[in-house]
Amino acid sequence: MSMTELRFKKAIDLKRSLTPLTSLAQTATVIYSADAVSLLVTIPDGHVIAALRILSTEFDHFCCRDSAATGFDIGWLYRCLHFFSNDNLSVTIGAVDDDGGKFQVVMQNTGIAVPYIFFNMRLIQPNDEHITFENQERKYDVKVGIPTANFREMIARLAQRLTGTIVVTITSSEVTFGVICVYCVLLQDIFDCVIEGDTYKSPMHLHIRLNDLISIGEGIVLSEMVWIYGSRSAPPMMNCLVPPIGELMYYFV
């Protein structure tokens, strides 16, 4: 019974999109819908759920059963992709066995003698918490955009002075990262950040573990901008694009 079939035009696109997740976790829950595929992982300390969302339009071929979920070893798939050096390889993932226990990864090889390479990848039990989390609705009041290079530099400066939880304070005109009255990095220049949304005329305070920001900073080198979403009723979220096919969200839980 075939449940899922996904095909990328270039293997390198899939490699790049998986890179941020494989730097954080070994296994992923894959949730399929009619228009997208989402891969969810939990950072080992359990404080952040990372979700890579790839729209169906970004695939050369997309055929998925809506609302299905599986689990698999993303590290294994990542290693398989790096077995090939040709960036123009076509990759097909799908053809689940009748027992529902395997994916088959098919890679088109440029060699004449062996035109296709096949890998079988055993599935694992999906994380139920990931499935529940994916279905939750969240509303954010304000978002702050920071160039990725500036964000990484700022986190490095904070890591030299602070540990534990930092406070991100957002107003209509400026953003600060740090511990109040101890050490703060102020972003208020238009070239440093973009503030959108409504803080309702009073500062919004987001509490985020510095170690989590350091881990995230190491995995977002492909994006141009980092967006931090704040809400008075939901934990903060970070969003960035993973060119050319992915959108990555970090939910602080």
Side-chain angles (χ1 to χ4, degrees), residues 4 19 28 31 43 53-55 85 90 92 97 121 124 143 163 180 189 191 199-200 203 207 212-213 229 241 249 251:
T4 301
T19 297
I31 300 174
I43 291 181
R53 179 175 171 83
I54 307 176
L55 295 176
S85 60
S90 174
T92 300
D97 288 350
M121 179 171 57
I124 61 177
K143 65 177 183 178
T163 58
I180 298 175
D189 191 293
F191 297 106
T199 60
Y200 302 105
H207 295 80
D212 293 336
L213 287 180
Y229 287 70
L241 297 179
M249 286 80 73
Y251 297 93

Side-chain angles (χ1 to χ4, degrees), residues 138-156:
R138 301 168 188 84
K139 181 180 182 299
Y140 298 98
D141 303 306
V142 65
K143 65 177 183 178
V144 176
I146 307 170
T148 300
N150 294 17
F151 176 81
R152 288 165 60 86
E153 179 183 355
M154 178 192 65
I155 296 304

